[in-house]
Amino acid sequence: ATATDLSGDITVTSTSTVDTSVVGSYTVTYTATDSSSNEATAVTRTVNVVDTTAPVISITGDNPVTIELGATYTDEGATATDLSGDITVTSTSTVDTDIVGSYTVTYTATDASGNQATAVVRTVNVVDTTAPVITLTGDATETVELGDTYTDEGATATDLSGDITV
């Protein structure tokens, strides 16, 4: 601020409580006194510190993730950085480890000023790399007389992906 006076040089001083690290409304007060000790009426300026910057989300761990069919999936989560400090990241997930396929975990975050981060997605691929297990029905060794009829007792199999044919 500047001030003018008939007596010449005038000093303008200000007092301020502006804290640019905290969102809020602050006041700067300006005063002026001439060489004859006459004080001007104080003038104020309002300074609004705002946060218009969205948080930024970072996925923790691998992306994409591959997990075996039937295994337990534990998400490693994500973090967010923001000018206003700590931000909570929330997630929504469609991962079903009982069905082979590609699934997503979506992370979102909103700061105290209502700024929403761009959503970030982790892909989780549920795969079946485990071979089926075959179990013989009956004995592993059979003896059949020459010329007799052999009747196979068969076998069964189990697999994580469900019923299979032997």
Side-chain angles (χ1 to χ4, degrees):
T2 59
T4 57
D5 185 71
L6 298 175
S7 65
D9 292 333
I10 299 176
T11 302
V12 177
T13 58
S14 66
T15 56
S16 172
T17 59
V18 176
D19 183 351
T20 60
S21 65
V22 179
V23 172
S25 184
Y26 300 92
T27 302
V28 179
T29 303
Y30 299 92
T31 57
T33 305
D34 66 13
S35 57
S36 300
S37 297
N38 296 312
E39 285 189 24
T41 303
V43 178
T44 60
R45 170 178 288 135
T46 300
V47 177
N48 295 310
V49 176
V50 297
D51 176 9
T52 59
T53 304
V56 176
I57 300 173
S58 299
I59 290 179
T60 304
D62 293 335
N63 187 26
V65 172
T66 301
I67 187 165
E68 187 66 25
L69 178 69
T72 301
Y73 172 69
T74 303
D75 188 57
E76 292 187 60
T79 59
T81 56
D82 189 66
L83 297 174
S84 62
D86 292 336
I87 300 297
T88 300
V89 177
T90 57
S91 66
T92 56
S93 173
T94 62
V95 177
D96 183 348
T97 61
D98 292 328
I99 300 174
V100 171
S102 183
Y103 300 92
T104 59
V105 179
T106 302
Y107 304 96
T108 57
T110 303
D111 67 17
S113 296
N115 301 307
Q116 293 183 341
T118 300
V120 176
V121 175
R122 179 193 319 264
T123 301
V124 179
N125 296 307
V126 177
V127 297
D128 180 6
T129 62
T130 304
V133 175
I134 299 174
T135 304
L136 292 175
T137 303
D139 296 328
T141 304
E142 294 282 338
T143 303
V144 178
E145 186 65 36
L146 180 66
D148 282 353
T149 302
Y150 169 71
T151 303
D152 185 20
E153 293 186 50
T156 60
T158 58
D159 188 67
L160 294 175
S161 63
D163 294 332
I164 58 171
T165 303
V166 178

